[in-house]
C-alpha cells in the first residue's frame, strides 16, 4: 500500500526489511500491511514564547526577559531527522514545543546570569546571538534546528531600567534646553544686527546724498567762477573796443564847441580816465566773483560739517547703542545658556546620585536576602529534621488562627446538644484542637517525617 506525505512532515517505515527504519521527508513510500508499520512526525515550524521571570543578573538585579524563537525538526539532514524520530516519535507538536521551550528557557536563564542589565538592555543583538548559538548547539542533538531567536522584551519590578533611562533623558532634555537657549540668543543677535544694518544703510544713504549735493555745489561754483570771469572779460573788452565806447572821439561835424586837435594832451587824459574806469569796473567784478566764491566755499564747508555731524550722530545714536544692545543681549543669552547648562547638569547629577543610591539599596537588600536564605539553608543542612520541626512548630499558631478564622467571622452560632458531650465554647475550641491534632499525620503523609518521633529524638 502506498502512503504519501506533504513537505511539512516526514514518514518513518519500520518492520521487516526495514532495518534501520526508512525515513522519508515529503514524498511517498510503499508499506506492506501487517508486517510493516508507518509513523509520521511533523516538520512544521514551532513558535516559542520564551519567558524568564525574575532572573538574577551578574550584579544581582532581578529582571524578566521574553524572547521569541522559531524552530523546527530538520528533515533534510538524515542524522538530525533520525535523532528527532528517536526522541519525539509519537509526541504531538505541543509536547515537542514544550520540551524545546524548557531547554531554550534554561539556556536563556544561564546567559542572563552571566551578563549585566546594561549589557542585555543596550546590546540586544549580542544577547540574542549568544542565546541562539548556545541553544542551537544543544537542540541540534535532538534533531531540532533553531531558525531564529529575537529578544522581545526586558523589564524589571525594581525600576532599575527606568533609572538607567533617567540619566539619558536628563541629558537629552539638557541638550534641548541648551540648543533652544542658543537659538534664541542667535535670533536676538541677528535681529539686532539686522536693525543696525537697516539704520546704518539709511544714514549712509543720507550721507551719500549730502556728499553728492556737496560735489554738485563745488562743480557748480567752479563753473560759475569760470563763466562769470569770461563774461566780465568779454564785457570789458566790448566796452573798450566797440565804436562809441569810452575812447571814441566825436567827429568835427558833431562838435559844437571848439575843436581839439587829435593827439593833444587832453585827448590822452580822457583816454586814460576811461581806461582807469574800465579797470576799476573789472576789479569790482572780480571782487564780486571772489565774494561769491567765498560764499560757495563757506556753503561747501558747512555741508561737509553737516555730513561729519550726521556721521557722528549715526555713530552716537545707532552704532554705539546697537553695539551696546547687542553686547547686552549676547551676555544675557550666554548667562541664560550657562544657567540652563548648570541646572541640567545639576538635575542629571541628582538623578544619577539618586539612581546609584536606589541601586545600592536594591543590591544591599538582595545581598541581605541572599545571605538570609544561605543561612537558612545552612541551618536546614545542619539540623535537618530538627530545623523542619522547629519551623513547623513556629507555624502552628498561625495554622490554628487560620483554622479558627471561619468561626471568628461567624455572626451567630447555634449549638444543639444530644446530652452526651460538651456544649458551648469548650465544644468549639475542642473542634479546633481536634483539627490541630490531625496536622502531624497530614505532615507525615506529605513529607514522610513523623513530627512526634523527631521531637522525641531532638529532645
Amino acid at each position: 500500500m502506498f502512503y504519501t506525505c506533504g513537505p511539512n512532515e516526514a514518514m518513518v517505515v519500520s518492520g521487516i526489511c526495514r532495518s534501520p527504519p526508512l525515513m522519508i521527508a515529503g514524498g511517498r513510500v510503499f508499506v506492506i500491511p501487517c508486517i510493516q508499520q508507518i509513523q509520521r512526525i511533523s516538520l512544521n515550524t514551532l513558535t516559542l514564547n520564551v519567558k524568564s521571570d525574575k532572573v538574577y543578573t551578574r550584579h544581582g538585579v532581578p529582571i524578566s526577559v521574553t524572547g521569541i524563537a522559531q524552530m523546527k525538526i530538520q528533515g533534510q539532514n538524515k542524522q538530525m531527522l533520525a535523532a528527532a524520530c528517536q526522541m519525539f516519535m509519537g509526541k504531538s507538536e505541543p509536547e515537542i514545543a514544550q520540551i524545546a521551550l524548557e531547554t531554550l528557557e534554561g539556556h536563556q536563564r544561564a546567559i542572563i546570569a552571566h551578563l549585566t542589565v546594561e549589557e542585555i538592555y543596550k546590546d540586544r543583538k549580542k544577547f540574542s546571538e549568544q542565546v541562539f548559538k548556545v541553544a542551537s548547539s544543544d537542540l541540534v542533538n535532538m534533531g531540532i534546528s533553531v531558525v531564529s531567536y529575537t529578544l522581545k522584551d526586558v523589564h524589571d519590578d525594581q525600576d532599575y531600567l527606568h533609572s538607567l533611562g533617567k540619566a539619558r533623558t536628563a541629558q537629552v532634555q539638557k541638550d534641548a534646553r541648551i540648543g533652544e537657549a542658543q537659538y534664541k540668543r542667535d535670533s536676538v543677535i541677528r535681529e539686532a544686527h539686522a536693525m543696525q544694518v537697516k539704520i546704518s544703510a539709511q544714514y549712509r544713504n543720507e550721507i551719500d546724498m549730502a556728499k553728492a549735493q556737496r560735489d554738485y555745489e563745488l562743480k557748480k561754483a567752479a563753473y560759475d567762477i569760470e563763466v562769470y570771469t569770461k563774461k566780465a572779460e568779454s564785457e570789458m573788452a566790448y566796452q573798450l573796443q566797440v565804436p562809441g565806447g569810452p575812447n571814441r572821439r566825436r567827429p568835427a561835424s558833431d562838435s559844437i564847441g571848439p575843436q581839439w586837435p587829435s593827439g593833444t594832451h587832453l585827448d590822452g587824459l580822457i583816454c586814460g580816465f576811461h581806461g582807469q574806469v574800465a579797470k576799476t569796473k573789472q576789479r569790482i567784478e572780480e571782487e564780486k566773483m571772489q565774494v561769491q566764491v567765498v560764499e560757495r566755499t563757506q556753503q561747501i564747508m558747512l555741508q561737509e560739517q553737516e555730513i561729519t555731524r550726521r556721521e557722528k550722530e549715526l555713530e552716537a545714536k545707532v552704532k554705539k547703542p546697537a553695539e551696546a544692545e547687542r553686547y547686552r543681549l549676547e551676555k544675557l543669552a550666554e548667562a541664560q545658556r550657562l544657567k540652563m547648562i548648570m541646572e541640567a547638569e545639576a538635575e542629571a547629577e541628582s538623578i544619577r546620585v539618586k539612581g546609584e543610591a536606589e541601586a545600592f539599596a536594591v543590591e544591599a537588600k538582595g545581598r541581605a536576602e541572599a545571605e538570609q536564605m544561605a543561612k537558612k539553608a545552612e541551618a536546614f543542612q545542619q539540623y535537618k529534621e530538627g530545623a523542619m520541626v522547629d519551623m513547623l512548630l513556629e507555624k502552628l499558631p498561625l495554622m490554628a488562627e487560620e483554622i479558627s478564622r471561619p468561626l471568628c467571622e461567624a455572626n451567630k452560632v447555634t449549638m444543639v446538644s444530644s446530652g452526651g458531650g460538651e456544649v458551648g465554647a469548650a465544644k468549639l475550641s475542642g473542634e479546633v484542637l481536634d483539627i490541630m491534632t490531625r496536622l502531624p499525620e497530614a505532615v507525615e503523609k506529605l513529607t514522610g517525617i513523623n513530627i512526634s518521633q523527631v521531637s522525641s529524638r531532638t529532645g
Side-chain angles (χ1 to χ4, degrees), residues 168-391:
R168 179 58 183 165
T169 303
Q171 179 68 28
V172 173
Q173 292 176 351
K174 180 189 75 172
D175 294 341
R177 288 195 293 267
I178 292 172
E180 183 180 1
Q182 291 176 346
Y183 176 77
K184 289 182 179 179
R185 179 200 64 187
D186 296 341
S187 176
V188 173
I189 291 173
R190 286 195 297 268
E191 184 177 355
H193 180 70
M195 182 61 66
Q196 179 185 0
V197 171
K198 175 184 175 183
I199 298 175
S200 299
Q202 180 180 354
Y203 276 89
R204 280 196 299 270
N205 290 334
E206 293 180 1
I207 292 171
D208 292 339
M209 292 175 64
K211 287 181 179 179
Q213 184 67 24
R214 179 198 64 185
D215 296 340
Y216 168 75
E217 295 293 340
L218 284 173
K219 291 182 179 181
K220 187 174 183 297
Y223 295 154
D224 288 345
I225 291 173
E226 186 177 356
V227 170
Y228 288 147
T229 302
K230 296 296 183 181
K231 184 177 180 182
E233 291 177 356
S234 63
E235 287 181 354
M236 294 305 299
Y238 176 78
Q239 292 179 2
L240 294 173
Q241 296 176 8
V242 297
N247 296 328
R248 182 180 63 85
R249 287 187 301 174
R250 295 178 180 272
S253 60
D254 294 339
S255 61
I256 300 176
Q259 299 293 325
W260 299 93
S262 59
T264 61
H265 180 67
L266 182 59
D267 190 16
L269 291 175
I270 293 173
C271 290
F273 175 74
H274 286 290
Q276 187 68 30
V277 171
K279 290 180 180 180
T280 303
K281 288 184 177 181
Q282 184 178 0
R283 284 196 299 270
I284 291 172
E285 292 295 331
E286 290 177 356
E287 293 294 334
K288 287 182 179 180
M289 295 304 299
Q290 292 294 332
V291 170
Q292 291 180 359
V293 170
V294 171
E295 289 179 353
R296 292 297 177 90
T297 304
Q298 293 295 327
Q299 290 178 359
I300 292 170
M301 291 177 62
L302 289 175
Q303 289 178 355
E304 290 179 350
Q305 292 177 0
E306 179 66 18
I307 291 172
T308 304
R309 185 188 66 80
R310 289 190 180 184
E311 289 178 349
K312 292 182 178 179
E313 182 181 3
L314 169 64
E315 185 173 358
K317 290 185 177 181
V318 178
K319 290 184 178 179
K320 294 296 183 181
E323 290 178 357
E325 180 66 15
R326 183 180 67 181
Y327 180 78
R328 185 182 69 85
L329 293 175
E330 288 178 354
K331 291 300 180 182
L332 288 176
E334 184 67 19
Q336 184 68 18
R337 185 180 70 86
L338 292 176
K339 178 183 177 183
M340 289 186 176
I341 291 173
M342 294 177 67
E343 289 179 352
E345 290 177 350
E347 184 178 355
E349 183 65 19
S350 175
I351 293 174
R352 186 185 66 80
V353 172
K354 183 178 179 181
E356 290 180 354
E358 292 177 353
F360 180 78
V362 172
E363 184 179 359
K365 182 180 178 181
R367 285 199 301 267
E369 292 178 352
E371 186 177 355
Q372 182 181 5
M373 294 297 293
K375 289 182 178 179
K376 285 185 177 180
E378 290 177 359
F380 278 108
Q381 185 67 23
Q382 183 177 0
Y383 296 103
K384 297 182 180 179
E385 296 178 351
M388 187 176 295
V389 171
D390 182 65
M391 184 179 66

Side-chain angles (χ1 to χ4, degrees), residues 49-52 63-69 108 112 115 117-129 131-132 148-155:
N49 193 13
V50 187
K51 291 184 178 180
S52 300
I63 62 171
S64 298
V65 176
T66 302
I68 300 296
Q108 182 172 275
I112 292 172
L115 298 176
V117 179
E118 290 80 1
E119 292 174 344
I120 298 172
Y121 182 74
K122 294 181 180 179
D123 197 352
R124 297 192 174 196
K125 183 179 179 181
K126 178 181 177 182
F127 175 79
S128 300
E129 290 176 351
V131 175
F132 180 85
S148 67
Y149 173 84
T150 304
L151 182 60
K152 180 181 179 182
D153 181 44
V154 179
H155 65 277

Side-chain angles (χ1 to χ4, degrees), residues 6 13 62 67 139 158 191 283 307 431:
V13 180
L139 291 175
Q158 308 295 330
E191 184 177 355
R283 284 196 299 270
I307 291 172
E431 291 181 353

Side-chain angles (χ1 to χ4, degrees), residues 66-87:
T66 302
I68 300 296
Q70 307 286 341
M71 53 186 57
K72 66 186 296 294
I73 294 175
Q74 187 58 256
Q76 302 301 324
N77 191 316
K78 296 299 182 180
Q79 294 180 354
M80 294 180 65
L81 181 59
C85 291
Q86 292 177 5
M87 293 188 177

